[in-house]
Amino acid sequence: MKYVSILPSICYGGDYNPEQWPEEIWREDAKLMQKAGVNLVSLGIFSWGEIEPCEGVFNFEWLDKVIDILYSHGVYINLGTATATTPAWFVKKYPDSLPVDENGTRLSFGSRQHYCPNHPQLVVHIKKLARAIAQRYKNHPALKMWHVNNEYACHTSRCFCENCAIAFRKWLKARYKTIDELNNRWGTSFWGQRYNDWDEINPPRKTPTFVNPSQELDYYRFMNDSIFSLFLAEKEVLREVTPNIPLSTNFMASFKPLNYFQWAQEVDIVTWDSYPDPRERLPIQHAMMNDLMRSLRQGQPFLLMEQVTSHVNWRDINVPKPPGVMRLWSYATIGRGADGIMFFQWRQSRAGAEKFHGAMVPHSSSENSRVYREVKKLGRELKKLDCLIGSRIKAEIAIIFDWENWWAVELGSKPHNKLSYISLVESYYRELYKRNIAVDFIRPVDDLSKYKVVIAPLLYMVKEGEDENLRRFVANGGTLIVTFFSGIVDENDHIHLGGYPAPLRDILGICVEEFVPYPEGQTNKIRVEGEEYECTTWTDIIHLEGAEPLAVYGEDWYAGSPAVTRHFFGRGESIYIGTSPDSKYLGRLLEYVLTEHNINPPLKVPENVEVQQRYTEKERYLIIVNHNSHEVQLSLPADRLYQDVLNGKRLQINQLVVQGIDVAVLKEVRRI
Amino acid sequence: MKYVSILPSICYGGDYNPEQWPEEIWREDAKLMQKAGVNLVSLGIFSWGEIEPCEGVFNFEWLDKVIDILYSHGVYINLGTATATTPAWFVKKYPDSLPVDENGTRLSFGSRQHYCPNHPQLVVHIKKLARAIAQRYKNHPALKMWHVNNEYACHTSRCFCENCAIAFRKWLKARYKTIDELNNRWGTSFWGQRYNDWDEINPPRKTPTFVNPSQELDYYRFMNDSIFSLFLAEKEVLREVTPNIPLSTNFMASFKPLNYFQWAQEVDIVTWDSYPDPRERLPIQHAMMNDLMRSLRQGQPFLLMEQVTSHVNWRDINVPKPPGVMRLWSYATIGRGADGIMFFQWRQSRAGAEKFHGAMVPHSSSENSRVYREVKKLGRELKKLDCLIGSRIKAEIAIIFDWENWWAVELGSKPHNKLSYISLVESYYRELYKRNIAVDFIRPVDDLSKYKVVIAPLLYMVKEGEDENLRRFVANGGTLIVTFFSGIVDENDHIHLGGYPAPLRDILGICVEEFVPYPEGQTNKIRVEGEEYECTTWTDIIHLEGAEPLAVYGEDWYAGSPAVTRHFFGRGESIYIGTSPDSKYLGRLLEYVLTEHNINPPLKVPENVEVQQRYTEKERYLIIVNHNSHEVQLSLPADRLYQDVLNGKRLQINQLVVQGIDVAVLKEVRRI
Amino acid sequence: MKYVSILPSICYGGDYNPEQWPEEIWREDAKLMQKAGVNLVSLGIFSWGEIEPCEGVFNFEWLDKVIDILYSHGVYINLGTATATTPAWFVKKYPDSLPVDENGTRLSFGSRQHYCPNHPQLVVHIKKLARAIAQRYKNHPALKMWHVNNEYACHTSRCFCENCAIAFRKWLKARYKTIDELNNRWGTSFWGQRYNDWDEINPPRKTPTFVNPSQELDYYRFMNDSIFSLFLAEKEVLREVTPNIPLSTNFMASFKPLNYFQWAQEVDIVTWDSYPDPRERLPIQHAMMNDLMRSLRQGQPFLLMEQVTSHVNWRDINVPKPPGVMRLWSYATIGRGADGIMFFQWRQSRAGAEKFHGAMVPHSSSENSRVYREVKKLGRELKKLDCLIGSRIKAEIAIIFDWENWWAVELGSKPHNKLSYISLVESYYRELYKRNIAVDFIRPVDDLSKYKVVIAPLLYMVKEGEDENLRRFVANGGTLIVTFFSGIVDENDHIHLGGYPAPLRDILGICVEEFVPYPEGQTNKIRVEGEEYECTTWTDIIHLEGAEPLAVYGEDWYAGSPAVTRHFFGRGESIYIGTSPDSKYLGRLLEYVLTEHNINPPLKVPENVEVQQRYTEKERYLIIVNHNSHEVQLSLPADRLYQDVLNGKRLQINQLVVQGIDVAVLKEVRRI
C-alpha cells in the first residue's frame, strides 16, 4: 500500500456549495480563500439536480466557471460525483427508489440521502452521472481528487423495501448456497423459524418480539455490502476515465453501519468527518477516531475532510468552540496522522436545514469576524508544516476493533442490554491517551507481530481463525488483554459451546461460568494487594484453569473469587478482566504492562497536554497540544536538539513553554 | 370594527349535549339552568350524525324540542353547525376523508375530528349541513349566535394525504407563480432539492433527516389556510341565511397551528377555551391568553367559551379546582375583557372519553353538590355585572406576538433546539402581570403608535416592512425592547445576511457576532452597577455600534462583554437583551422603563392580587382578584369615590378588605 | 371440579427443544435428566415447521425417536401441539395471516407468534396439525399431558387487520343484536360517533384523540375471545382423539390481555410461567400470582410450567439467581399449591434470541456447573414430597380480582391516569403476605360465603348482580373492604349515576362527592386516634350516610373529612378506604380485621420467613421458606408433633432452626 498525498502541502479548505450563491459571491469567495491559505475545496457534492436538471441533460457551465475562478486563485478541487442525493425528477420517475423503514413507511423527498441502495435504476444513473462529470473535468489541472458521494449511509443506513428483500435473498444465496445451510447458520430450529424457500425470507422488519439475531447480523452485513457496491460502481467508472486521480469518500469514524476496514481497502486515501461537542474539554473520542481512521490503511496519513470552525446545528444545544480551540484540535488531528484539515463548509448557508451550521465565512461575511480570523491564521500557519506530509505514527500497542463484533454485541437479548462497544473500547483507549501512548487499531485477523501489547475489549464474536491469530501472538511473546464477554459467539452469533470463552480458554487459562451484569449505579469492589478499586457494569464468575488471580471481587456472593487474571502462555502472557474496573485500576494495570514492555511516551508532560510523534524517513516531529487554559513548561530530552517548526527557530535550551490553549511543533535533531 | 355583544348581560352557560340524555332530563336541565342563572348554551356541536343520520336525510325534531324547552326557561342558544366530527356514513362513503399522519398511517373513526381538511367532498357536505340548520332555525327567537365547528384543528392540525398534496401544490402555485420562484424561496439549491415540476412536491412527510425548513414553514401556512377555508365556507352560508346572527368559532389561545390574528378578522366576536391546571397557584398563562385573545380584535370584549367548573380528564392527573377558585378565575377573566363565562359542559357525560371531565351538573345530579352550588352562586352574582358589557381595557405597553414567527423559531436545527416561544414571551409577560400593568399583544405590522413601550421577545422572523414599522415606532419616541435571536430570518426562513440582526441593527445600535446557547442547568451572570443577576438559555456575543451596555456578562470567555444594551434612536430608545435574565433583573429593567414612561398600575396592592380596569365610555371599573388564601387590605386613591358593584354599596372610606380567594368589583366615581 | 394430577410425584423437568441439537445430544440429555430426577418434559412447542415442513407433509420420525429415548430414561411427555408459531410456508401462502398493529403496520416473520387469531385459515390448519400429532402419539405410554400452543397472546395480544374487523363485527352482532343497542352500549351519542351499519365499525385503530372507551373495552373482550376460540378448537380435537389425556396451556399470571378465570374453566389443570427478577429480595408478586393461579380453579393444585434456573435474557439487565434462591423460590411455589416445578428450558440454546436465557443445562454442558448441581439437588429432593400431591390451601380471606375491571380501569382519560390495578391489589396482598395469612383470589360474582373477609381493591367496574353478591356477603356477617374508585361504572364503562359509588352506597354507608388524584410525590396525612399516617395517589371527598369515620385527612382543603369509614350493614360490616394509605396504616387496619375474625397465621415467625400450609384429607404440611440470609429459630405449637419431611426424622422438641436461604417441610401429627 503506497501512500499518495493529494497535495505537497497540508490540504486546507472545505466543502464549497457555489450553487447556493450568485456568481459575484464566487469571486469574493475565491479572494477570501486565497487570503486564508485555502488550497483545496470539495465541490459539487449535492449538485446532481444542478448538473443533470432533467434526465440525460447535463449543465456544466456554472461548474466550469466556478472551477476556473478557484483555480485562478490557487485553489484545487476535490470534485464531488454529485450522487449524495437523488434529484426530484429521479424520485418522480422511480418512486420506489425512496427508502422504507422497518415499519413499512416509505420516506419522502425533501431532506437528503433519500434512496434505497438496492433500487436497480440507481446504480445505472450514478454511473452515468459519474462518467459525465469525469469526462468533463478529466483534463482540468485543478482536479486533484474525487469525492465519491458523501457520508454514505449517514441518514439511510437501512432500507426494508421489496427491492432490498430481493437483493437480500440473492446475497444470502451467494453466501450460503443452500437453504439448509442458511437454516443452520441462522439457527432457525429455534422458535420454528425454518425456511423452505429463499423467497420466504425478508429483511428483519418489525416483528412481534425479538427477531432472529443471525438474520439481523446478516442484514447489517448485507446493507453494508449493498452501499459498498454503489461506491465500487462509481470507482470503476472514475478509474477508467481518470486512472491517475486519487479518490475517496468521507467516512464518519465510529459509524456503526459501515465496516470501514473493508471500505478503506478501496479508497486511495482515508478521509473522515469529525464533530466533537465543544463542551468536551478533552477531545478523547476525536483522538480515538483519528487513530482508528489512520489504522484503516495501515497507518497511512489521512485527511480530516470535515470539521466545523465553531458550532454545528444538529445537536439540541449547539455551542461554539471558544477562541483557539479550533486551531488546538486541528493540531491534535495532525499529531495523529492527518495531512489535511478541511471544513464543512466554506460559506455559511443562507437557507436550508444547515444554515445555523458554522462555516469558514459566517453569515456576516466579515473578514474581521473571529471565525474568519482564526481560519486565516491557521491556514497561513499550516504552510509551515509541509515537512510533515507522508510522515507516520509508530505504535507498539494495538486495540482490536471489529465492525462485525460491534453489530453482534449490540444486538438485543443479551445478559446486559445497555453495553456500548465504543464506550468499552474508549475506557481502555482513554488510559493510553492520558499517558500519550501511541496506539493503533487492528482487526482480529490482522498481523499482530509488530505489537508488544494487544487489547481486545468486548470481543464477543471470535470468528474462525481469529483465536488462532491471538494464540500465536501470545505464544510469540505478546501480552494480550481480553475483557469480559469476549469469545462468546462465532460469525453466525452462535455460542462457542464448552465453557466461556471457549476458543480463548487455553490462552487465558480460565473458564467463565456465569455472567452477573450490573444495572447502572450498582458497583462492586476489586481487591488487589491491599488496595481496593471500584468496578461496574458486569462481573464474571471465573474459574482458574492455569491462570493466577491479579485481583478478586470484594463483595456479593462471589466475593474473593477472581476478577482479573494473568496466564503465562508460550512466551507471552494474557490478562483477562472480568469486569469494568475504574480508571485508577485500569491505569495501574496498563502501567504495569507498559513498564514490562518498556513502552514510553515521547515526553513526560503535565496533565491535559497531548504529545504525539510523526516520523518521516529521516526525521522525527513532536506535535504538542496544550488543552489547559494555563501555560505549561516542558523539559525535553537533554541528548537531542529541537527546532520550533512554527517559528523556524532552534531551541536554545531544552525547555519549552507552551501557552494555554496553544501548540508547538518541534523537529528533533539528533545531537551529533 | 364595531363590537356587537351577544346578550345585554354577561353570557353564562355552557356546552349542552342533550342527545346523550333522555327527554325527561332535558326538562330537569332547563330548570337547573334557570336556577343557576344560565342564559346561553352551546348546542349541537357534535350532532351531525343525529341531525343527518343518513346522507341527505335530516332529523330536527329532537333539536326543535330541546331549543323550545330551553327558550321557555330563558335560555338562549349558541347554535353549533354540527360539523366538528364527520359521521360514520360519511367516513364509509369517503374513506380517504380520514386524515393521514406523517408516517402515512391513515387514522380511524372512533374519537373525533377525523377529517382531512382538503377532502373535496368535505366542504360540499358541511355547507349543505350548515345551510339546513340555518334554514331551520333562522327565525327562532332563541338563536343568538352561531358556533361554527369546534376547536378547529385541536386534534387534526396536519394531514399528509394525497388530497393534501394536490391542494398544497395548488396553494404553492398561487403563492409563487413559477417553480423557479419556489426553488428560490425554499432554497432548494441546498442538499440538491431543486424541483422541476409542481407535481414533484409533497407535504413534509417523514424523511431521512431534517426536512427543508422553508417547506415546513409553508406547510404550517398551508394547513392553517386549508382549515381556515372550511370556516369561511360555513361563514358564507350562515351570512347568507342569517345575516344578523353573529358567529364565532372557539379558539384555543396559545394554539400553535392556527394563526388566530388572521382568523379573528372573520369572526364577529372572539371566543376561546381555557383549561389552566388547578395546581397552578397563579393562572398567569391564562391571564396572558386572555390578553392575547382580547387583542385579536383590537381590544374588543370576548367570551370565555369553555372552562371547567372543577377538573378535566385529559391530563395524567386531573385535580379539581378547590372551593372558590372557579369563581376567582372567572372574575380574573372578566377583568381582562370577557363579556361571558361559559363552561364545557352543562351536564357531566355518562359515557365516552370525557365522562370524567367536570361539568356544571355532576354525575350525582345533586343540587347540593359543591360544584353546582358554586355554579349557581356565580351565575346569580354575574347578573350584577351588566354594566361591564362592552367595556374596554387600556394598555400603554404591548408585546409583539406572531404566529408565523412561532412556527419558524421552533423548527429544528437551530442553535438552541429547546427554545419555547410561548415560554419566552411569558417570561416578559409575567413581570407585567405581577405589577398589574395592562398589556396588549400586537403583530409586528400593526400600528404601534398608541403604545409607549413595545416588547419583541424572540422575534426570529422579521418580514418585509416589519423592521420599518419598528424603526418608525422608536424614531417617534417609543421604547422598543428586543431579545436575543430576533431579526434573524425573512419570511422564507432565509437569513438576513450582513450581521445579526441585520434589519434591526441600526435601531438597536449593535451587531451580534455569535450565539452561545446554554443547555438546561447552565447559567452565566450579568453584572450591572455592582449588582449581579443570573441568566440562562442563551448568550449573544454583542458588538456595540452606537449602543451603550446596560449590563455585561460575568463569566466565560466573553465575560465583560455586553449582555444588555441601550441605543437612543430618533426620539426613542431601544433595549437589546442578549440573554434570558432572571426575574429580578427583568423586573428591574422593566420598572426602569415603566417609570421613564410614567406607566403605573391601577392600585398598589400586595403580592398575588390581580387588579384590572375596564372602561366604558363614561366609567371606570376595578376588578380585584385576591389569589391569596389570606385577606388583604387595599388603599384606594383618596381623590375618588367607589361603589362596590357586587353588593351595590358605596365605600365609606377608601379602604377595602378582600377576603382570601375572593374578589371585588368597584365602580369608580370621580369626586366632584 | 375434580383434580387430576399429572404424575403421582411432583412434576419436575422443563421445555425441551431437541430439534436444536444433533441426535447424540438427545441421549446425553436423557441421561442427565435421569440423574437430575426429571420426570416430565414439554416437547414440540415450536416444532410446526419440523413436523409439517410443507403443507400436509408430516415428519414424525425425529420426534418418535426423541420420545422413545426419553421414555426409556423414565421421562414422561407434556406434548406440545406445535401451534405456537406458524411456519414460513404458511406465512408465504397466507401473507394476511401476519398481524397488523394499530398503526396499520403488518408485522413480519422472523421472531414468533406472528399470527392474527382471526385469519380464517389458521384454525383450519391448527386443527389439522393437532389431530395429526394426537393420532400419532395417542397410544404412546410416555404421553401424560397436552401442552396446547404456548403462552397465548404473549407477543401478539391484539391485531387490527381486516380479518379482525370482520370478526369483530360478527362478535358485536352476536353480543348486541341491533345496531341501536350497540350505539346505546357504546354511548355513541358522545362526539357524534353514532353507527348506522355494522360495517362502519372497525377495531380501535389509531385515531386523532381518545377513542371510545366502550369500544376499547369490547376490543379487549373480543381479542380475548378470539384467542380463546383457537384454544377451544385445539381442545375439541384433542378430547376427541385422546379423551383421557389431560390438557393445559401455560398462563402468564398477571397477564392483562387474557381473562384467565374464563380460560381456567377449560383446562384440566392450571399451568403457569413465572419470571420474577432475582433482584427482588422477597418474591411477593410471584407469591401473589401463585395464589391467583391456584384460585382460578377453586384452589386446585397447579404446575409451575416455566421458571428459570438462573437468569433470563429479555430484561435490560439479566442477573442470575444467587446460590440457593432457585430452590428457595421453588419451595415457596409449592407452599402455595404447586404440584410441579418445571423450567424453561432444559438445555440452553446455542443460537437464536434466547441463547442467553438460563436453562437446566448451561452452555458448558458441565455436570459440575452450579446450575446443574442445583437442578440435580432439587430434583432428587422433590421425590420426598409425593405426599403433597393434591393437597390444598385453606384461606379465610379473599381478594377480588377481575380482568374486565382491569381492562376498564386502565383505559385512558380517567381522573388519575397512572393507576395500576396490579400495584393497588398488591399493596393489600403485601400486608397479608408479610403476616403469612393465606388468601384466595375471587371474581366479584363468585360465591363469597366461605370467606370471612373480602377485599375489593379498585373495583371500578361493578357489573349487574355483583353489587348484590357483595351486599349478601356483608349482610350475612362478612367484612368487606372497598377502596377508592370502586363502583363507578357498569359493564359498558358507563357511569353508575346518582352519586359514587352508586351500587355500593348502601353497603358502605357513604357517598363520594369528589376525587382528588395526586401526582407522584404528593402526599396527605390520615389521622386516627392521635396517630398519623401517610397517604398518596388519590383522596376521595366522602360524605357519611350511615358510616362512621375511622380516619380523617390531615391536610388540604378537605382536612378533617373522612378518609376511611366503617359501616355496619346487616350482620357484617364494610370498610371504605378513600385513599392509598401507607403500609403501616394498612397493616394496622388489616390486623384489626383479622383479630376481629380470629384469622391467624400458621406460625409466629420472624420477618421474611414464609410459612404456608397444605392440607390433604388427613394431614397438614407446613412449608417454611427462610428468605433471610441468616438462620432463624422457630417455635412450633406445643400440642402437636412434627416430622421433617425432607430428612424423614421426627422433631424431638418443638423448635426448628432453618438456615439462611433454606427451607423446611414439616408434616404435622396431632399429639394423641
Side-chain angles (χ1 to χ4, degrees), chain C residues 30-282:
Chain C
K31 281 181 211 153
L32 285 171
M33 286 179 192
Q34 201 166 30
K35 271 193 200 171
V38 166
N39 55 20
L40 187 71
V41 297
S42 306
L43 209 60
I45 292 174
F46 289 98
S47 308
W48 188 340
E50 310 283 335
I51 292 173
E52 191 182 5
C54 325
E55 188 175 352
V57 176
F58 292 92
N59 171 18
F60 284 114
E61 281 158 38
W62 66 278
L63 192 53
D64 295 349
K65 200 175 288 181
V66 169
I67 293 176
D68 289 343
I69 292 171
L70 293 174
Y71 185 56
S72 71
H73 287 78
V75 178
Y76 292 100
I77 307 301
N78 172 30
L79 190 53
T81 56
T83 54
T85 280
T86 47
W89 60 258
F90 182 87
V91 172
K92 183 166 82 169
K93 185 166 180 188
Y94 307 111
D96 66 337
S97 72
L98 290 165
V100 169
D101 73 13
E102 64 172 3
N103 296 316
T105 297
R106 194 171 287 282
L107 303 190
S108 192
F109 184 89
S111 63
R112 72 188 237 207
Q113 207 175 69
H114 38 253
Y115 58 80
C116 160
N118 288 303
H119 192 273
Q121 282 301 312
L122 179 67
V123 73
V124 174
H125 280 267
I126 61 172
K127 286 172 76 169
K128 216 170 73 176
L129 178 64
R131 181 174 301 277
I133 296 172
Q135 290 286 2
R136 181 78 173 196
Y137 298 107
K138 64 180 173 184
N139 296 320
H140 200 294
L143 180 64
K144 286 291 175 189
M145 185 176 182
W146 287 113
H147 187 291
V148 179
N149 199 287
N150 183 62
E151 293 185 344
Y152 273 108
C154 65
H155 303 299
T156 307
S157 62
R158 321 194 84 187
C159 175
F160 297 83
C161 77
E162 268 313 295
N163 285 318
C164 284
I166 292 164
F168 186 38
R169 290 168 201 144
K170 206 174 139 190
W171 183 93
L172 288 168
K173 215 164 168 176
R175 184 176 175 91
Y176 298 124
K177 309 296 181 293
T178 68
I179 197 79
D180 279 352
E181 181 64 9
L182 176 132
N183 279 309
N184 184 25
R185 298 296 200 91
W186 281 17
T188 58
S189 54
F190 174 76
W191 278 357
Q193 297 168 348
R194 174 164 299 279
Y195 296 99
N196 301 294
D197 202 348
W198 296 100
D199 66 358
E200 290 164 2
I201 301 171
N202 278 311
R205 293 167 183 152
K206 192 178 171 195
T207 50
T209 181
F210 298 117
V211 79
N212 184 318
S214 305
Q215 178 184 5
E216 284 195 272
L217 180 59
D218 269 353
Y219 212 67
Y220 270 108
R221 290 180 174 124
F222 161 71
M223 287 305 309
N224 171 66
D225 286 355
S226 297
I227 297 163
F228 191 41
S229 74
L230 294 177
F231 169 76
L232 293 177
E234 289 201 41
K235 179 180 173 179
E236 190 190 348
V237 170
L238 297 175
R239 273 287 191 270
E240 183 195 327
V241 183
T242 59
N244 297 317
I245 300 295
L247 61 80
S248 190
T249 184
N250 46 343
F251 296 163
M252 291 164 289
S254 60
F255 182 68
K256 189 171 167 184
L258 301 187
N259 184 345
Y260 286 140
F261 270 115
Q262 173 189 349
W263 285 63
Q265 310 317 308
E266 298 288 341
V267 298
D268 294 312
I269 182 171
V270 168
T271 65
W272 79 287
D273 303 346
S274 180
Y275 294 98
D277 194 325
R279 285 180 281 179
E280 291 171 27
R281 193 158 156 265
L282 272 183

Side-chain angles (χ1 to χ4, degrees), chain B residues 168-183 185-186 196-198 201 218:
Chain B
F168 186 39
R169 290 169 200 143
K170 205 173 140 190
W171 183 93
L172 289 168
K173 214 164 170 176
R175 185 176 175 91
Y176 297 125
K177 309 296 180 294
T178 68
I179 196 78
D180 280 352
E181 181 63 9
L182 176 132
N183 278 309
R185 299 295 200 91
W186 280 17
N196 302 293
D197 203 349
W198 297 100
I201 302 171
D218 269 353

Side-chain angles (χ1 to χ4, degrees), chain A residues 207-226:
Chain A
T207 50
T209 181
F210 298 117
V211 80
N212 184 319
S214 305
Q215 179 184 5
E216 284 195 271
L217 180 59
D218 269 353
Y219 212 68
Y220 271 109
R221 290 179 175 125
F222 162 72
M223 287 304 311
N224 171 67
D225 285 355
S226 297

Side-chain angles (χ1 to χ4, degrees), chain A residues 19-21 46-50 53-54 85-89 92 99 101 103 105-115 155-156 279 310-323 344-345 348-356 363-365 368-371 373, chain B residues 102-105 184-197 199-200 202-215 412-418 460 485 488-490 493-500 511 513-520 522 556-557:
Chain A
E19 61 266 53
Q20 295 176 19
W21 301 100
F46 288 98
S47 308
W48 189 341
E50 309 282 336
C54 325
T85 281
T86 46
W89 60 258
K92 182 165 85 170
D101 74 13
N103 296 315
T105 297
R106 194 170 288 282
L107 303 191
S108 191
F109 183 90
S111 62
R112 71 188 235 206
Q113 207 175 70
H114 38 254
Y115 58 79
H155 303 300
T156 307
R279 285 179 281 177
S310 181
H311 55 84
V312 298
N313 66 307
W314 40 264
R315 290 195 174 90
D316 269 358
I317 308 293
N318 300 292
V319 310
K321 288 177 184 164
F344 180 85
Q345 62 177 335
Q348 195 167 354
S349 293
R350 185 182 184 184
E354 286 187 338
K355 60 182 171 292
F356 291 108
H363 284 140
S364 69
S365 287
N368 204 31
S369 62
R370 175 174 77 91
V371 160
R373 279 184 285 119
Chain B
E102 64 172 2
N103 296 315
T105 297
N184 183 27
R185 299 295 200 91
W186 280 17
T188 58
S189 54
F190 174 76
W191 279 357
Q193 296 168 348
R194 174 164 299 279
Y195 295 100
N196 302 293
D197 203 349
D199 66 359
E200 290 165 2
N202 278 311
R205 293 167 183 153
K206 194 178 171 196
T207 51
T209 181
F210 298 117
V211 80
N212 184 319
S214 305
Q215 179 184 5
S413 61
K414 292 288 195 307
H416 192 307
N417 289 298
K418 301 279 186 187
Y460 167 72
F485 211 42
I488 304 300
V489 297
D490 65 16
D493 196 37
H494 292 195
I495 300 291
H496 288 297
L497 294 174
Y500 316 121
C511 181
E513 186 177 347
E514 299 186 57
F515 309 138
V516 188
Y518 280 18
E520 218 185 313
Q522 191 181 333
D556 222 326
W557 54 273

Side-chain angles (χ1 to χ4, degrees), chain C residues 428-447:
Chain C
Y428 284 81
Y429 180 85
R430 186 181 301 120
E431 299 308 317
L432 300 170
Y433 173 89
K434 281 157 55 180
R435 289 165 178 79
N436 283 312
I437 303 299
V439 58
D440 285 346
F441 287 88
I442 41 157
R443 286 173 293 190
V445 291
D446 286 337
D447 176 18

Side-chain angles (χ1 to χ4, degrees), chain B residues 291-555:
Chain B
D291 287 339
L292 174 59
M293 293 293 101
R294 184 193 66 242
S295 301
L296 294 177
R297 285 179 61 83
Q298 298 174 2
Q300 287 184 359
F302 60 90
L303 302 187
L304 185 65
M305 183 53 82
E306 292 185 17
Q307 69 168 346
V308 72
T309 52
S310 182
H311 54 83
V312 298
N313 65 308
W314 40 263
R315 290 196 174 89
D316 269 357
I317 309 294
N318 300 292
V319 310
K321 288 177 184 165
V325 168
M326 180 274 280
R327 173 171 172 264
L328 203 71
W329 293 5
S330 298
Y331 276 92
T333 306
I334 290 170
R336 292 182 184 274
D339 274 6
I341 297 294
M342 310 275 288
F343 297 87
F344 180 85
Q345 63 177 335
W346 168 253
R347 178 177 285 275
Q348 194 167 356
S349 293
R350 186 182 183 184
E354 287 188 337
K355 60 181 170 290
F356 292 109
H357 191 292
M360 299 167 85
V361 176
H363 284 140
S364 69
S365 288
S366 168
E367 284 192 51
N368 203 31
S369 62
R370 175 174 77 89
V371 161
Y372 182 76
R373 280 184 285 118
E374 292 196 10
V375 162
K376 194 168 69 177
K377 178 183 174 187
L378 178 62
R380 293 183 173 186
E381 206 173 65
L382 290 182
K383 304 296 174 219
K384 299 174 184 152
L385 298 188
D386 293 356
C387 51
L388 288 180
I389 295 295
S391 62
R392 299 297 186 102
I393 310 295
K394 288 185 186 162
E396 297 171 302
I397 184 162
I399 295 176
I400 290 182
F401 193 91
D402 183 36
W403 259 268
E404 298 212 333
N405 178 58
W406 190 0
W407 298 335
V409 77
E410 293 183 359
L411 290 174
S413 61
K414 292 288 195 307
H416 192 307
N417 289 298
K418 301 279 186 187
L419 289 181
S420 156
Y421 183 46
I422 290 289
S423 300
L424 222 282
V425 170
E426 197 184 322
S427 69
Y428 284 81
Y429 180 86
R430 185 182 300 118
E431 299 308 317
L432 300 170
Y433 174 89
K434 281 157 57 179
R435 288 164 178 79
N436 283 312
I437 303 299
V439 58
D440 285 346
F441 287 88
I442 42 158
R443 286 173 293 190
V445 290
D446 286 336
D447 176 17
L448 308 175
S449 61
K450 61 189 264 210
Y451 300 105
K452 295 175 175 175
V453 179
V454 166
I455 305 175
L458 207 58
L459 191 62
Y460 167 72
M461 175 182 280
V462 170
K463 299 182 282 286
E464 215 183 313
E466 292 177 356
D467 55 326
E468 189 47 36
N469 197 35
L470 297 172
R471 192 172 286 107
R472 199 180 312 122
F473 168 71
V474 181
N476 290 336
T479 291
L480 173 68
I481 299 173
V482 174
T483 80
F484 66 89
F485 211 42
S486 292
I488 304 300
V489 297
D490 65 16
E491 67 173 289
N492 308 303
D493 196 37
H494 292 195
I495 300 291
H496 288 297
L497 294 174
Y500 316 121
L504 308 178
R505 267 173 71 186
D506 61 327
I507 314 176
L508 298 169
I510 59 155
C511 181
V512 174
E513 186 177 347
E514 299 186 57
F515 309 138
V516 188
Y518 280 18
E520 218 185 313
Q522 191 181 333
T523 61
N524 201 331
K525 297 274 183 279
I526 52 176
R527 293 204 177 120
V528 46
E529 292 163 15
E531 306 275 332
E532 206 173 67
Y533 302 87
E534 200 171 87
C535 65
T536 56
T537 310
W538 184 291
T539 48
D540 275 330
I541 313 280
I542 300 170
H543 295 289
L544 300 176
E545 297 183 338
E548 61 183 351
L550 290 185
V552 298
Y553 294 114
E555 294 171 2

